Amino acid sequence: MADENCNNQCSNCSKDCKKRENTTDLHEKLHEGSSVKKVIGIVSGKGGVGKSLVTSLLAARIHKDGFRTAILDADITGPSIPTAFGLSEEKAEGAVMVGSDGKQQEYLKPVVSAGGVQIMSMNFLLHNETDPVIWRGPVISGAVRQFWTDIVWKDVDFMFVDCPPGTGDVPLTVFQSIPLDGIIVVSSPQQLVRVIVEKAVNMANMMNIPVLGLIENMSYVKCPDCSKEIHVFGKSNIEGIARDFGLEVLARIPMEQEMSVTVDNGEVESLQSEFLSRAVEKVEELLK
């Protein structure tokens, strides 16, 4: 029986009780042909801070370390991952397999980048990449769930989920439907950064998902002559904010023309991304 002092907050309770045992697991099941070991969500409280850039850089960098990586692009209405990997013209292909019940099953295969990263994005399903996706929230959320359940992900060590900004339908669907092993919060140096971080961290805490740390994008510009860091948006307080929330700053990404041009040209896998070393370590520790 449930404890007489039960407050119905099962996620914060260490006791074993009948009520806790009957708590519904909302996580969707992977396709039976899939294998994904660890899943990391890349999130933010607002748009335009560089979640897709961070997702692409991490997946490419960790793949170079010998791990098999994948990207589930959950930003259905504004996908940019295919462009970063030079896959704008690619389309997802269907295939057929025999299921455990002996019946034939149709499924979709993710598109594989030149470097070997498995990727699924809405752009791979559109006739033209510029076609708008004019769907309401429940339909978009359903598409995200299908990217998890109906795609056959082959032997993935680390999957990165590029979430749309905010705390609405799609991020909630990701948090509830996909068994995340942790999230990384992406921010920028502007003054409203605390609000950005606090929204994302509070949502993760409410959903009982670990926050691996913070990454600040557009952190500074390095002078080409003296290598001094120039803070275009003013000196950020990312370290202080991290301390307030008990988190670690995993990376500070500079504003670089070379990086911007390389990503726009679809060659994100060619970047070295040394500034992501601690973030890479933190993610790879999940498998140790």
Side-chain angles (χ1 to χ4, degrees), residues 43 45 167 175 183 185 195-207 209 211 213-214 245 247:
V43 306
T167 56
F175 278 44
I183 67 165
V185 179
V195 177
I196 297 171
V197 172
E198 193 163 355
K199 283 179 179 291
V201 171
N202 285 342
M203 183 176 184
N205 289 337
M206 290 174 66
M207 306 297 290
I209 297 172
V211 180
L214 311 179
F245 288 99
L247 300 173

Side-chain angles (χ1 to χ4, degrees), residues 187-191 193 216-220 233-237:
S187 66
S188 57
Q190 289 94 331
Q191 288 302 310
V193 65
E216 183 179 74
N217 188 32
M218 300 179 284
S219 187
Y220 59 89
F233 299 106
K235 187 77 172 179
S236 81
N237 189 32

Side-chain angles (χ1 to χ4, degrees), residues 113-272:
S113 72
V117 179
Q118 299 176 50
I119 303 170
M120 190 60 205
S121 174
M122 192 65 203
N123 269 10
F124 298 148
L125 302 176
L126 301 176
H127 290 295
N128 301 296
E129 66 170 344
T130 55
D131 290 345
V133 179
I134 308 175
W135 293 348
R136 294 192 183 276
V139 180
I140 295 174
S141 297
V144 171
R145 283 193 293 269
Q146 286 184 288
F147 281 2
W148 173 254
T149 61
D150 294 359
I151 308 298
V152 171
W153 303 95
K154 290 290 187 180
D155 302 320
V156 175
D157 293 313
F158 295 104
M159 172 181 284
F160 296 91
V161 182
D162 183 19
C163 294
T167 56
D169 285 348
V170 179
L172 182 60
T173 295
V174 172
F175 278 44
Q176 288 185 325
S177 302
I178 300 176
L180 297 175
D181 294 282
I183 67 165
I184 291 175
V185 179
V186 182
S187 66
S188 57
Q190 289 94 331
Q191 288 302 310
L192 76 166
V193 65
R194 185 179 185 88
V195 177
I196 297 171
V197 172
E198 193 163 355
K199 283 179 179 291
V201 171
N202 285 342
M203 183 176 184
N205 289 337
M206 290 174 66
M207 306 297 290
N208 300 298
I209 297 172
V211 180
L212 302 182
L214 311 179
I215 291 180
E216 183 179 74
N217 188 32
M218 300 179 284
S219 187
Y220 59 89
V221 174
K222 184 169 287 189
C223 175
D225 297 322
C226 65
S227 296
K228 179 181 178 180
E229 291 185 6
I230 303 170
H231 301 280
V232 179
F233 299 106
K235 187 77 172 179
S236 81
N237 189 32
I238 191 68
E239 297 288 351
I241 294 171
R243 284 195 300 272
D244 289 345
F245 288 99
L247 300 173
E248 179 181 358
V249 177
L250 300 177
R252 295 171 63 237
I253 302 178
M255 298 173 66
E256 295 179 344
Q257 183 182 40
E258 180 184 358
M259 179 166 61
S260 178
V261 172
T262 300
V263 173
D264 287 345
N265 289 338
E267 300 170 351
V268 69
E269 291 172 294
S270 68
L271 294 171
Q272 297 303 314

